[in-house]
Amino acid sequence: MFETGSLTHGTGISIYSDVDFFASMKGTRPTPSTALAKVRDSLKARFTTTEVRVSSPAVVCKFAEGRETLEVVPAYYASDGYWIPDPKSGDWMKSNPSADAEYVSDINKKHDGGVKKLIRLLKAWKYRKGVPISSFYLEMRAAKYSSGVSTFILIWDLCLILEELVALELAAMNSPVASGRRINPCSSEANRADALSKTKTAALRARRALEAHNAGKPAEAVAALKLLFEFSR
């Protein structure tokens, strides 16, 4: 087993982001549902008083009455990464967490740490507004966007990445590090429609914040940003 995910490489959000592990499985690769059931049953036997359930592509363990969550992904080794369950198709999909993390980190270095700040802002918006969109999708979209810009100013780039997501209509994307791998934004079409609606609202608020900032009106900019990030009840 090895730790992976956002908390490992600095794009996680305190309280919201889970601790993620890959469990490298031995033997012949079964169906994803069988692999998930094996991991679930093993963890249930070990943590008898903890809520343990399948939430593809992982088995979720809720410790301390849900205040601490750990996710374990069954993974089968491949020459270019690992096979893990695909929650959308129910089949296996390729994942290479070390290559993904390296890709983001390289672009982050190019912009003196600004890219991971942008990713954390997008994830904070997702969690605080209840947007049903994949954190990994946001991370890879932000990294890909940032790879194509020469200068980086956070209030500008927050607005521009949200507007880009709207223009793309939250389309699935090709992995920048794994040929043939697709990264889906949401688990269903209904969730994509909901997420797109909330992204459009966020883009309008980010644009108002940017315009107020450029006009030398910091109070108006802050007010627009507060609306962007305020909790949805």
Side-chain angles (χ1 to χ4, degrees), residues 70-136:
L70 181 146
E71 295 191 354
V72 180
V73 177
Y76 285 82
Y77 179 77
S79 59
D80 55 348
Y82 289 87
W83 289 102
I84 67 170
D86 183 347
K88 191 164 187 179
S89 70
D91 203 348
W92 293 97
M93 65 179 181
K94 285 285 183 68
S95 179
N96 192 331
S98 59
D100 294 333
E102 183 177 1
Y103 172 75
V104 174
S105 293
D106 286 345
I107 300 169
N108 187 57
K109 290 175 185 175
K110 171 186 170 183
H111 294 297
D112 298 322
V115 176
K116 289 188 177 182
K117 292 178 182 178
L118 177 62
I119 291 168
R120 289 194 296 270
L121 282 176
L122 288 172
K123 290 183 180 180
W125 161 72
K126 160 199 159 72
Y127 288 120
R128 292 172 73 96
K129 305 302 285 188
V131 186
I133 190 170
S134 161
S135 294
F136 180 62

Short mmCIF file of all heavy atoms in Angstrom, two decimals, residues 70-136:
data_model
loop_
_atom_site.label_atom_id
_atom_site.label_comp_id
_atom_site.label_asym_id
_atom_site.label_seq_id
_atom_site.Cartn_x
_atom_site.Cartn_y
_atom_site.Cartn_z
N LEU A 70 -10.63 7.71 5.32
CA LEU A 70 -9.54 7.11 4.55
C LEU A 70 -10.15 6.32 3.41
O LEU A 70 -11.14 5.61 3.59
CB LEU A 70 -8.71 6.20 5.48
CG LEU A 70 -7.51 5.48 4.88
CD1 LEU A 70 -6.40 5.36 5.92
CD2 LEU A 70 -7.89 4.07 4.38
N GLU A 71 -9.57 6.45 2.22
CA GLU A 71 -10.06 5.72 1.06
C GLU A 71 -8.97 4.79 0.53
O GLU A 71 -7.82 5.22 0.34
CB GLU A 71 -10.50 6.68 -0.04
CG GLU A 71 -11.70 7.54 0.35
CD GLU A 71 -12.30 8.29 -0.82
OE1 GLU A 71 -11.72 8.25 -1.92
OE2 GLU A 71 -13.34 8.95 -0.63
N VAL A 72 -9.33 3.54 0.29
CA VAL A 72 -8.38 2.54 -0.20
C VAL A 72 -8.85 2.07 -1.58
O VAL A 72 -9.96 1.56 -1.72
CB VAL A 72 -8.28 1.35 0.77
CG1 VAL A 72 -7.27 0.32 0.23
CG2 VAL A 72 -7.87 1.82 2.16
N VAL A 73 -8.00 2.25 -2.57
CA VAL A 73 -8.32 1.90 -3.95
C VAL A 73 -7.62 0.59 -4.30
O VAL A 73 -6.38 0.52 -4.24
CB VAL A 73 -7.87 3.00 -4.93
CG1 VAL A 73 -8.15 2.59 -6.38
CG2 VAL A 73 -8.56 4.32 -4.61
N PRO A 74 -8.36 -0.45 -4.68
CA PRO A 74 -7.70 -1.67 -5.16
C PRO A 74 -7.04 -1.40 -6.50
O PRO A 74 -7.66 -0.84 -7.41
CB PRO A 74 -8.84 -2.67 -5.29
CG PRO A 74 -10.08 -1.85 -5.43
CD PRO A 74 -9.83 -0.58 -4.68
N ALA A 75 -5.77 -1.78 -6.63
CA ALA A 75 -5.00 -1.44 -7.83
C ALA A 75 -4.18 -2.64 -8.27
O ALA A 75 -3.58 -3.34 -7.45
CB ALA A 75 -4.08 -0.25 -7.53
N TYR A 76 -4.16 -2.86 -9.57
CA TYR A 76 -3.38 -3.95 -10.16
C TYR A 76 -2.30 -3.35 -11.05
O TYR A 76 -2.59 -2.52 -11.92
CB TYR A 76 -4.28 -4.90 -10.94
CG TYR A 76 -5.09 -5.81 -10.04
CD1 TYR A 76 -6.28 -5.35 -9.47
CD2 TYR A 76 -4.66 -7.09 -9.74
CE1 TYR A 76 -7.02 -6.17 -8.62
CE2 TYR A 76 -5.40 -7.92 -8.89
CZ TYR A 76 -6.57 -7.45 -8.34
OH TYR A 76 -7.30 -8.25 -7.50
N TYR A 77 -1.08 -3.78 -10.82
CA TYR A 77 0.07 -3.17 -11.49
C TYR A 77 -0.01 -3.34 -13.01
O TYR A 77 -0.38 -4.39 -13.53
CB TYR A 77 1.37 -3.81 -10.98
CG TYR A 77 2.61 -3.25 -11.65
CD1 TYR A 77 3.11 -2.01 -11.29
CD2 TYR A 77 3.24 -3.96 -12.67
CE1 TYR A 77 4.22 -1.49 -11.91
CE2 TYR A 77 4.36 -3.45 -13.29
CZ TYR A 77 4.86 -2.21 -12.92
OH TYR A 77 5.96 -1.70 -13.54
N ALA A 78 0.36 -2.26 -13.72
CA ALA A 78 0.51 -2.28 -15.17
C ALA A 78 1.84 -1.59 -15.49
O ALA A 78 2.39 -0.87 -14.67
CB ALA A 78 -0.65 -1.55 -15.84
N SER A 79 2.36 -1.81 -16.67
CA SER A 79 3.67 -1.26 -17.02
C SER A 79 3.68 0.27 -17.01
O SER A 79 4.72 0.89 -16.79
CB SER A 79 4.09 -1.76 -18.40
OG SER A 79 3.13 -1.38 -19.38
N ASP A 80 2.52 0.88 -17.23
CA ASP A 80 2.43 2.34 -17.27
C ASP A 80 1.54 2.88 -16.15
O ASP A 80 0.87 3.89 -16.31
CB ASP A 80 1.92 2.82 -18.63
CG ASP A 80 0.59 2.17 -19.02
OD1 ASP A 80 0.19 1.20 -18.35
OD2 ASP A 80 -0.03 2.64 -19.98
N GLY A 81 1.53 2.19 -15.01
CA GLY A 81 0.75 2.66 -13.87
C GLY A 81 0.01 1.53 -13.20
O GLY A 81 0.58 0.47 -12.94
N TYR A 82 -1.29 1.74 -12.95
CA TYR A 82 -2.12 0.73 -12.29
C TYR A 82 -3.50 0.70 -12.93
O TYR A 82 -3.98 1.71 -13.44
CB TYR A 82 -2.27 1.05 -10.80
CG TYR A 82 -1.03 0.84 -9.98
CD1 TYR A 82 -0.08 1.84 -9.85
CD2 TYR A 82 -0.80 -0.39 -9.34
CE1 TYR A 82 1.08 1.63 -9.10
CE2 TYR A 82 0.35 -0.60 -8.59
CZ TYR A 82 1.28 0.41 -8.47
OH TYR A 82 2.42 0.21 -7.74
N TRP A 83 -4.12 -0.49 -12.86
CA TRP A 83 -5.52 -0.61 -13.19
C TRP A 83 -6.33 -0.39 -11.92
O TRP A 83 -6.06 -1.04 -10.90
CB TRP A 83 -5.84 -2.00 -13.74
CG TRP A 83 -5.30 -2.29 -15.11
CD1 TRP A 83 -4.20 -3.03 -15.42
CD2 TRP A 83 -5.84 -1.83 -16.35
NE1 TRP A 83 -4.01 -3.07 -16.78
CE2 TRP A 83 -5.02 -2.35 -17.38
CE3 TRP A 83 -6.95 -1.04 -16.69
CZ2 TRP A 83 -5.26 -2.09 -18.72
CZ3 TRP A 83 -7.18 -0.79 -18.03
CH2 TRP A 83 -6.35 -1.31 -19.03
N ILE A 84 -7.30 0.52 -11.95
CA ILE A 84 -8.17 0.75 -10.81
C ILE A 84 -9.63 0.75 -11.29
O ILE A 84 -9.88 0.93 -12.49
CB ILE A 84 -7.85 2.08 -10.09
CG1 ILE A 84 -8.19 3.29 -10.97
CG2 ILE A 84 -6.39 2.12 -9.63
CD1 ILE A 84 -8.12 4.63 -10.25
N PRO A 85 -10.60 0.57 -10.39
CA PRO A 85 -12.00 0.57 -10.83
C PRO A 85 -12.42 1.91 -11.44
O PRO A 85 -12.03 2.97 -10.95
CB PRO A 85 -12.77 0.30 -9.53
CG PRO A 85 -11.79 -0.42 -8.65
CD PRO A 85 -10.47 0.20 -8.97
N ASP A 86 -13.19 1.84 -12.50
CA ASP A 86 -13.75 3.02 -13.14
C ASP A 86 -15.19 3.18 -12.66
O ASP A 86 -16.05 2.36 -13.01
CB ASP A 86 -13.72 2.87 -14.66
CG ASP A 86 -14.23 4.09 -15.39
OD1 ASP A 86 -14.84 4.98 -14.74
OD2 ASP A 86 -14.03 4.19 -16.62
N PRO A 87 -15.49 4.20 -11.86
CA PRO A 87 -16.85 4.34 -11.31
C PRO A 87 -17.92 4.60 -12.37
O PRO A 87 -19.09 4.31 -12.13
CB PRO A 87 -16.72 5.52 -10.34
CG PRO A 87 -15.53 6.28 -10.81
CD PRO A 87 -14.60 5.27 -11.40
N LYS A 88 -17.51 5.10 -13.53
CA LYS A 88 -18.50 5.43 -14.55
C LYS A 88 -18.87 4.22 -15.40
O LYS A 88 -20.05 3.95 -15.64
CB LYS A 88 -17.99 6.56 -15.44
CG LYS A 88 -19.06 7.14 -16.36
CD LYS A 88 -18.67 8.46 -16.95
CE LYS A 88 -19.83 9.08 -17.71
NZ LYS A 88 -19.48 10.41 -18.28
N SER A 89 -17.87 3.45 -15.84
CA SER A 89 -18.13 2.32 -16.73
C SER A 89 -18.32 1.01 -15.98
O SER A 89 -18.89 0.05 -16.51
CB SER A 89 -16.98 2.16 -17.73
OG SER A 89 -15.81 1.70 -17.07
N GLY A 90 -17.82 0.94 -14.73
CA GLY A 90 -17.87 -0.31 -14.00
C GLY A 90 -16.78 -1.28 -14.39
O GLY A 90 -16.70 -2.40 -13.88
N ASP A 91 -15.90 -0.85 -15.30
CA ASP A 91 -14.77 -1.68 -15.74
C ASP A 91 -13.50 -1.16 -15.08
O ASP A 91 -13.55 -0.38 -14.13
CB ASP A 91 -14.67 -1.63 -17.27
CG ASP A 91 -13.94 -2.84 -17.85
OD1 ASP A 91 -13.33 -3.59 -17.08
OD2 ASP A 91 -13.99 -3.01 -19.08
N TRP A 92 -12.35 -1.55 -15.61
CA TRP A 92 -11.07 -1.07 -15.11
C TRP A 92 -10.59 0.12 -15.94
O TRP A 92 -10.90 0.23 -17.13
CB TRP A 92 -10.01 -2.18 -15.17
CG TRP A 92 -10.27 -3.31 -14.23
CD1 TRP A 92 -10.88 -4.49 -14.54
CD2 TRP A 92 -9.97 -3.36 -12.84
NE1 TRP A 92 -10.98 -5.29 -13.43
CE2 TRP A 92 -10.42 -4.62 -12.37
CE3 TRP A 92 -9.37 -2.49 -11.94
CZ2 TRP A 92 -10.28 -5.02 -11.04
CZ3 TRP A 92 -9.23 -2.88 -10.61
CH2 TRP A 92 -9.68 -4.13 -10.17
N MET A 93 -9.86 1.03 -15.31
CA MET A 93 -9.24 2.14 -16.02
C MET A 93 -7.81 2.31 -15.53
O MET A 93 -7.45 1.87 -14.44
CB MET A 93 -10.03 3.44 -15.81
CG MET A 93 -10.03 3.95 -14.38
SD MET A 93 -10.95 5.51 -14.21
CE MET A 93 -10.74 5.86 -12.46
N LYS A 94 -6.99 2.95 -16.35
CA LYS A 94 -5.60 3.18 -16.00
C LYS A 94 -5.44 4.40 -15.11
O LYS A 94 -6.16 5.39 -15.25
CB LYS A 94 -4.75 3.38 -17.27
CG LYS A 94 -4.45 2.11 -18.05
CD LYS A 94 -3.39 1.27 -17.36
CE LYS A 94 -3.05 0.04 -18.19
NZ LYS A 94 -2.37 0.38 -19.46
N SER A 95 -4.50 4.32 -14.17
CA SER A 95 -4.17 5.45 -13.31
C SER A 95 -2.68 5.41 -13.02
O SER A 95 -2.10 4.33 -12.83
CB SER A 95 -4.95 5.37 -12.00
OG SER A 95 -4.61 6.45 -11.14
N ASN A 96 -2.08 6.58 -13.02
CA ASN A 96 -0.65 6.68 -12.71
C ASN A 96 -0.45 7.88 -11.79
O ASN A 96 -0.11 8.98 -12.24
CB ASN A 96 0.17 6.84 -14.00
CG ASN A 96 1.65 6.65 -13.76
OD1 ASN A 96 2.15 6.92 -12.67
ND2 ASN A 96 2.38 6.19 -14.78
N PRO A 97 -0.71 7.71 -10.49
CA PRO A 97 -0.70 8.86 -9.58
C PRO A 97 0.64 9.57 -9.48
O PRO A 97 0.69 10.78 -9.31
CB PRO A 97 -1.11 8.25 -8.23
CG PRO A 97 -0.87 6.79 -8.37
CD PRO A 97 -1.09 6.47 -9.81
N SER A 98 1.75 8.84 -9.59
CA SER A 98 3.06 9.49 -9.51
C SER A 98 3.30 10.38 -10.72
O SER A 98 3.84 11.49 -10.59
CB SER A 98 4.17 8.45 -9.37
OG SER A 98 4.17 7.56 -10.48
N ALA A 99 2.88 9.92 -11.91
CA ALA A 99 3.04 10.75 -13.12
C ALA A 99 2.13 11.96 -13.07
O ALA A 99 2.51 13.07 -13.47
CB ALA A 99 2.74 9.91 -14.36
N ASP A 100 0.89 11.79 -12.56
CA ASP A 100 -0.03 12.92 -12.42
C ASP A 100 0.55 13.98 -11.48
O ASP A 100 0.53 15.18 -11.79
CB ASP A 100 -1.37 12.45 -11.86
CG ASP A 100 -2.12 11.52 -12.81
OD1 ASP A 100 -1.90 11.63 -14.03
OD2 ASP A 100 -2.92 10.71 -12.33
N ALA A 101 1.08 13.52 -10.35
CA ALA A 101 1.64 14.46 -9.36
C ALA A 101 2.86 15.18 -9.92
O ALA A 101 3.03 16.39 -9.69
CB ALA A 101 2.00 13.71 -8.09
N GLU A 102 3.67 14.46 -10.67
CA GLU A 102 4.87 15.09 -11.26
C GLU A 102 4.48 16.14 -12.28
O GLU A 102 5.09 17.21 -12.36
CB GLU A 102 5.74 14.01 -11.90
CG GLU A 102 7.05 14.53 -12.48
CD GLU A 102 7.92 13.44 -13.06
OE1 GLU A 102 7.51 12.26 -13.04
OE2 GLU A 102 9.02 13.76 -13.54
N TYR A 103 3.45 15.84 -13.08
CA TYR A 103 2.97 16.79 -14.09
C TYR A 103 2.53 18.10 -13.44
O TYR A 103 2.92 19.20 -13.86
CB TYR A 103 1.82 16.15 -14.87
CG TYR A 103 1.09 17.07 -15.82
CD1 TYR A 103 1.67 17.45 -17.02
CD2 TYR A 103 -0.17 17.56 -15.50
CE1 TYR A 103 0.98 18.29 -17.90
CE2 TYR A 103 -0.85 18.40 -16.37
CZ TYR A 103 -0.27 18.77 -17.57
OH TYR A 103 -0.94 19.61 -18.42
N VAL A 104 1.71 17.98 -12.39
CA VAL A 104 1.22 19.18 -11.70
C VAL A 104 2.38 19.93 -11.04
O VAL A 104 2.46 21.16 -11.11
CB VAL A 104 0.17 18.79 -10.65
CG1 VAL A 104 -0.23 20.00 -9.81
CG2 VAL A 104 -1.08 18.20 -11.32
N SER A 105 3.28 19.21 -10.41
CA SER A 105 4.40 19.85 -9.69
C SER A 105 5.33 20.59 -10.64
O SER A 105 5.82 21.67 -10.31
CB SER A 105 5.18 18.80 -8.89
OG SER A 105 4.38 18.28 -7.85
N ASP A 106 5.56 20.03 -11.82
CA ASP A 106 6.44 20.70 -12.79
C ASP A 106 5.85 22.03 -13.23
O ASP A 106 6.56 23.05 -13.33
CB ASP A 106 6.67 19.80 -14.01
CG ASP A 106 7.61 18.63 -13.71
OD1 ASP A 106 8.30 18.68 -12.67
OD2 ASP A 106 7.65 17.68 -14.52
N ILE A 107 4.53 22.06 -13.49
CA ILE A 107 3.89 23.31 -13.91
C ILE A 107 3.82 24.28 -12.73
O ILE A 107 3.98 25.50 -12.89
CB ILE A 107 2.49 23.02 -14.47
CG1 ILE A 107 2.59 22.11 -15.69
CG2 ILE A 107 1.78 24.32 -14.85
CD1 ILE A 107 1.27 21.56 -16.16
N ASN A 108 3.62 23.75 -11.54
CA ASN A 108 3.59 24.58 -10.34
C ASN A 108 4.92 25.29 -10.13
O ASN A 108 4.96 26.48 -9.76
CB ASN A 108 3.26 23.70 -9.13
CG ASN A 108 3.05 24.50 -7.86
OD1 ASN A 108 2.21 25.38 -7.80
ND2 ASN A 108 3.83 24.19 -6.84
N LYS A 109 6.02 24.60 -10.36
CA LYS A 109 7.36 25.21 -10.23
C LYS A 109 7.54 26.34 -11.24
O LYS A 109 8.15 27.37 -10.93
CB LYS A 109 8.44 24.15 -10.43
CG LYS A 109 8.54 23.15 -9.30
CD LYS A 109 9.56 22.06 -9.62
CE LYS A 109 9.59 20.98 -8.56
NZ LYS A 109 10.49 19.86 -8.92
N LYS A 110 7.01 26.15 -12.43
CA LYS A 110 7.11 27.17 -13.48
C LYS A 110 6.48 28.48 -13.03
O LYS A 110 6.96 29.57 -13.39
CB LYS A 110 6.42 26.66 -14.75
CG LYS A 110 6.25 27.69 -15.86
CD LYS A 110 5.43 27.10 -17.00
CE LYS A 110 5.04 28.17 -18.01
NZ LYS A 110 4.17 27.63 -19.10
N HIS A 111 5.44 28.40 -12.21
CA HIS A 111 4.71 29.59 -11.75
C HIS A 111 4.93 29.86 -10.26
O HIS A 111 4.06 30.45 -9.60
CB HIS A 111 3.23 29.44 -12.06
CG HIS A 111 2.91 29.41 -13.53
ND1 HIS A 111 3.16 30.49 -14.36
CD2 HIS A 111 2.39 28.44 -14.33
CE1 HIS A 111 2.79 30.20 -15.60
NE2 HIS A 111 2.31 28.96 -15.61
N ASP A 112 6.07 29.42 -9.74
CA ASP A 112 6.47 29.73 -8.35
C ASP A 112 5.40 29.36 -7.32
O ASP A 112 5.14 30.12 -6.38
CB ASP A 112 6.82 31.22 -8.22
CG ASP A 112 8.01 31.62 -9.09
OD1 ASP A 112 8.95 30.81 -9.20
OD2 ASP A 112 7.99 32.71 -9.65
N GLY A 113 4.79 28.21 -7.50
CA GLY A 113 3.83 27.72 -6.52
C GLY A 113 2.40 28.19 -6.73
O GLY A 113 1.50 27.80 -5.97
N GLY A 114 2.16 29.01 -7.73
CA GLY A 114 0.82 29.57 -7.94
C GLY A 114 -0.21 28.56 -8.39
O GLY A 114 -1.40 28.70 -8.08
N VAL A 115 0.21 27.53 -9.11
CA VAL A 115 -0.76 26.57 -9.67
C VAL A 115 -1.45 25.78 -8.56
O VAL A 115 -2.66 25.58 -8.59
CB VAL A 115 -0.06 25.63 -10.67
CG1 VAL A 115 -1.05 24.58 -11.19
CG2 VAL A 115 0.50 26.43 -11.84
N LYS A 116 -0.68 25.34 -7.57
CA LYS A 116 -1.30 24.58 -6.48
C LYS A 116 -2.22 25.49 -5.65
O LYS A 116 -3.23 25.01 -5.11
CB LYS A 116 -0.24 23.92 -5.61
CG LYS A 116 0.46 22.75 -6.32
CD LYS A 116 1.37 21.96 -5.41
CE LYS A 116 1.97 20.78 -6.15
NZ LYS A 116 2.84 19.93 -5.30
N LYS A 117 -1.90 26.76 -5.56
CA LYS A 117 -2.82 27.70 -4.90
C LYS A 117 -4.13 27.78 -5.68
O LYS A 117 -5.22 27.79 -5.09
CB LYS A 117 -2.18 29.08 -4.79
CG LYS A 117 -1.00 29.16 -3.83
CD LYS A 117 -0.40 30.56 -3.83
CE LYS A 117 0.81 30.64 -2.91
NZ LYS A 117 1.44 31.99 -2.93
N LEU A 118 -4.03 27.87 -7.00
CA LEU A 118 -5.22 27.92 -7.84
C LEU A 118 -6.06 26.65 -7.69
O LEU A 118 -7.29 26.71 -7.56
CB LEU A 118 -4.82 28.11 -9.31
CG LEU A 118 -5.96 28.12 -10.33
CD1 LEU A 118 -6.91 29.28 -10.08
CD2 LEU A 118 -5.40 28.19 -11.75
N ILE A 119 -5.40 25.51 -7.66
CA ILE A 119 -6.10 24.23 -7.50
C ILE A 119 -6.82 24.19 -6.16
O ILE A 119 -7.98 23.76 -6.08
CB ILE A 119 -5.11 23.06 -7.63
CG1 ILE A 119 -4.62 22.95 -9.09
CG2 ILE A 119 -5.76 21.75 -7.19
CD1 ILE A 119 -3.45 22.01 -9.27
N ARG A 120 -6.16 24.64 -5.11
CA ARG A 120 -6.80 24.63 -3.79
C ARG A 120 -8.01 25.56 -3.75
O ARG A 120 -9.02 25.26 -3.11
CB ARG A 120 -5.79 24.99 -2.70
CG ARG A 120 -4.74 23.90 -2.45
CD ARG A 120 -3.98 24.13 -1.15
NE ARG A 120 -3.19 25.34 -1.16
CZ ARG A 120 -1.93 25.42 -1.57
NH1 ARG A 120 -1.31 24.32 -2.02
NH2 ARG A 120 -1.27 26.55 -1.54
N LEU A 121 -7.93 26.70 -4.43
CA LEU A 121 -9.08 27.60 -4.50
C LEU A 121 -10.26 26.94 -5.22
O LEU A 121 -11.41 27.05 -4.77
CB LEU A 121 -8.70 28.90 -5.21
CG LEU A 121 -7.91 29.93 -4.41
CD1 LEU A 121 -7.54 31.11 -5.29
CD2 LEU A 121 -8.72 30.42 -3.20
N LEU A 122 -9.97 26.27 -6.33
CA LEU A 122 -11.04 25.59 -7.06
C LEU A 122 -11.69 24.50 -6.20
O LEU A 122 -12.91 24.33 -6.20
CB LEU A 122 -10.49 24.98 -8.35
CG LEU A 122 -10.13 25.97 -9.46
CD1 LEU A 122 -9.42 25.24 -10.59
CD2 LEU A 122 -11.37 26.69 -9.99
N LYS A 123 -10.87 23.76 -5.47
CA LYS A 123 -11.41 22.70 -4.62
C LYS A 123 -12.19 23.29 -3.44
O LYS A 123 -13.22 22.74 -3.03
CB LYS A 123 -10.29 21.79 -4.14
CG LYS A 123 -9.69 20.93 -5.24
CD LYS A 123 -8.63 19.99 -4.69
CE LYS A 123 -8.03 19.13 -5.78
NZ LYS A 123 -7.00 18.20 -5.26
N ALA A 124 -11.70 24.40 -2.88
CA ALA A 124 -12.44 25.06 -1.80
C ALA A 124 -13.81 25.50 -2.30
O ALA A 124 -14.83 25.33 -1.60
CB ALA A 124 -11.65 26.25 -1.28
N TRP A 125 -13.86 26.06 -3.51
CA TRP A 125 -15.14 26.43 -4.11
C TRP A 125 -16.03 25.20 -4.27
O TRP A 125 -17.21 25.23 -3.91
CB TRP A 125 -14.90 27.11 -5.47
CG TRP A 125 -16.08 27.12 -6.37
CD1 TRP A 125 -17.22 27.88 -6.24
CD2 TRP A 125 -16.28 26.30 -7.53
NE1 TRP A 125 -18.10 27.59 -7.26
CE2 TRP A 125 -17.55 26.63 -8.07
CE3 TRP A 125 -15.50 25.34 -8.19
CZ2 TRP A 125 -18.06 26.02 -9.21
CZ3 TRP A 125 -16.00 24.74 -9.32
CH2 TRP A 125 -17.26 25.07 -9.82
N LYS A 126 -15.49 24.11 -4.79
CA LYS A 126 -16.26 22.88 -4.98
C LYS A 126 -16.90 22.40 -3.67
O LYS A 126 -18.10 22.10 -3.63
CB LYS A 126 -15.35 21.77 -5.52
CG LYS A 126 -15.85 20.34 -5.32
CD LYS A 126 -14.71 19.34 -5.46
CE LYS A 126 -15.05 18.01 -4.79
NZ LYS A 126 -16.07 17.25 -5.50
N TYR A 127 -16.10 22.36 -2.61
CA TYR A 127 -16.60 21.83 -1.35
C TYR A 127 -17.57 22.79 -0.67
O TYR A 127 -18.61 22.37 -0.15
CB TYR A 127 -15.43 21.51 -0.41
CG TYR A 127 -14.62 20.30 -0.83
CD1 TYR A 127 -13.27 20.41 -1.13
CD2 TYR A 127 -15.22 19.05 -0.95
CE1 TYR A 127 -12.53 19.30 -1.52
CE2 TYR A 127 -14.48 17.94 -1.34
CZ TYR A 127 -13.14 18.08 -1.62
OH TYR A 127 -12.41 16.98 -2.01
N ARG A 128 -17.25 24.07 -0.68
CA ARG A 128 -18.09 25.03 0.04
C ARG A 128 -19.42 25.25 -0.67
O ARG A 128 -20.44 25.54 -0.02
CB ARG A 128 -17.35 26.35 0.22
CG ARG A 128 -16.16 26.24 1.18
CD ARG A 128 -15.33 27.51 1.20
NE ARG A 128 -16.00 28.58 1.89
CZ ARG A 128 -15.81 28.91 3.18
NH1 ARG A 128 -14.97 28.20 3.92
NH2 ARG A 128 -16.45 29.90 3.73
N LYS A 129 -19.45 25.12 -1.99
CA LYS A 129 -20.68 25.34 -2.74
C LYS A 129 -21.39 24.03 -3.09
O LYS A 129 -22.44 24.04 -3.75
CB LYS A 129 -20.39 26.11 -4.04
CG LYS A 129 -19.67 27.43 -3.84
CD LYS A 129 -20.42 28.39 -2.94
CE LYS A 129 -21.61 29.02 -3.61
NZ LYS A 129 -22.20 30.10 -2.77
N GLY A 130 -20.81 22.89 -2.68
CA GLY A 130 -21.46 21.61 -2.95
C GLY A 130 -21.54 21.28 -4.43
O GLY A 130 -22.58 20.80 -4.92
N VAL A 131 -20.47 21.51 -5.16
CA VAL A 131 -20.46 21.26 -6.60
C VAL A 131 -20.10 19.79 -6.85
O VAL A 131 -19.03 19.34 -6.42
CB VAL A 131 -19.44 22.17 -7.32
CG1 VAL A 131 -19.55 22.00 -8.83
CG2 VAL A 131 -19.66 23.63 -6.93
N PRO A 132 -20.96 19.03 -7.53
CA PRO A 132 -20.70 17.59 -7.72
C PRO A 132 -19.73 17.32 -8.87
O PRO A 132 -20.08 16.72 -9.90
CB PRO A 132 -22.10 17.04 -8.03
CG PRO A 132 -22.79 18.16 -8.74
CD PRO A 132 -22.28 19.43 -8.08
N ILE A 133 -18.50 17.76 -8.69
CA ILE A 133 -17.49 17.63 -9.73
C ILE A 133 -16.25 16.98 -9.13
O ILE A 133 -15.96 17.13 -7.94
CB ILE A 133 -17.15 19.02 -10.33
CG1 ILE A 133 -16.28 18.89 -11.58
CG2 ILE A 133 -16.49 19.93 -9.30
CD1 ILE A 133 -16.12 20.19 -12.34
N SER A 134 -15.53 16.24 -9.95
CA SER A 134 -14.34 15.52 -9.49
C SER A 134 -13.21 16.48 -9.12
O SER A 134 -12.85 17.36 -9.92
CB SER A 134 -13.87 14.58 -10.61
OG SER A 134 -12.53 14.18 -10.42
N SER A 135 -12.65 16.30 -7.94
CA SER A 135 -11.49 17.11 -7.53
C SER A 135 -10.31 16.87 -8.46
O SER A 135 -9.58 17.80 -8.79
CB SER A 135 -11.09 16.77 -6.09
OG SER A 135 -12.09 17.14 -5.19
N PHE A 136 -10.14 15.62 -8.88
CA PHE A 136 -9.02 15.29 -9.77
C PHE A 136 -9.20 15.97 -11.12
O PHE A 136 -8.23 16.48 -11.70
CB PHE A 136 -8.94 13.77 -9.95
CG PHE A 136 -7.83 13.32 -10.85
CD1 PHE A 136 -6.50 13.59 -10.53
CD2 PHE A 136 -8.10 12.63 -12.03
CE1 PHE A 136 -5.47 13.18 -11.37
CE2 PHE A 136 -7.08 12.23 -12.87
CZ PHE A 136 -5.76 12.50 -12.54
#
